């Protein structure tokens, strides 16, 4: 019985002039990618470039949203407005 393994990676976390990760080098080796979006880095240009790269390598695409924290400094202390 054959089994498949999904090699997944968070991608597209660069923002503006700050480059994070090695998306172009990693993309050919994975089967699915979580693209940073919302408040998790990944400006619109980076998101478009990451999706295009995933399509080029036939990599499945998912989203990787986050809290409103580009510098990742308040993630541990952030609470939902409903809990306040």
């Amino acid at each position: 019985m054959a089994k498949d393994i999904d090699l997944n990676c968070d991608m597209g976390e660069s923002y503006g002039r700050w480059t994070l990760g090695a998306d172009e080098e990693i993309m050919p080796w994975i089967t699915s990618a979580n693209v940073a979006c919302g408040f998790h880095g990944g400006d619109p240009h980076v998101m478009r470039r990451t999706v295009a790269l995933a399509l080029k390598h036939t990599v499945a695409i998912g989203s990787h949203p986050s809290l409103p924290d580009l510098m990742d400094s308040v993630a541990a202390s952030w609470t939902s407005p409903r809990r306040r």
Side-chain angles (χ1 to χ4, degrees):
M1 175 182 196
K3 293 186 180 186
D4 293 329
I5 296 175
D6 177 25
L7 295 176
N8 179 271
C9 189
D10 293 347
M11 307 293 272
E13 295 184 341
S14 298
Y15 188 84
R17 67 181 199 175
W18 292 280
T19 302
L20 300 170
D23 294 0
E24 290 185 31
E25 291 84 4
I26 294 170
M27 196 71 76
W29 301 101
I30 63 173
T31 54
S32 66
N34 300 322
V35 180
C37 59
F39 295 104
H40 188 74
D43 63 39
H45 174 71
V46 171
M47 286 186 273
R48 280 191 296 270
R49 187 176 66 225
T50 305
V51 168
L53 190 59
L55 292 173
K56 174 183 173 184
H57 293 285
T58 61
V59 170
I61 302 166
S63 64
H64 183 197
S66 186
L67 301 171
D69 180 21
L70 291 177
M71 298 305 292
D72 201 25
S73 59
V74 297
S77 64
W78 188 81
T79 58
S80 168
R82 291 181 180 172
R83 293 185 182 179
R84 291 182 192 170

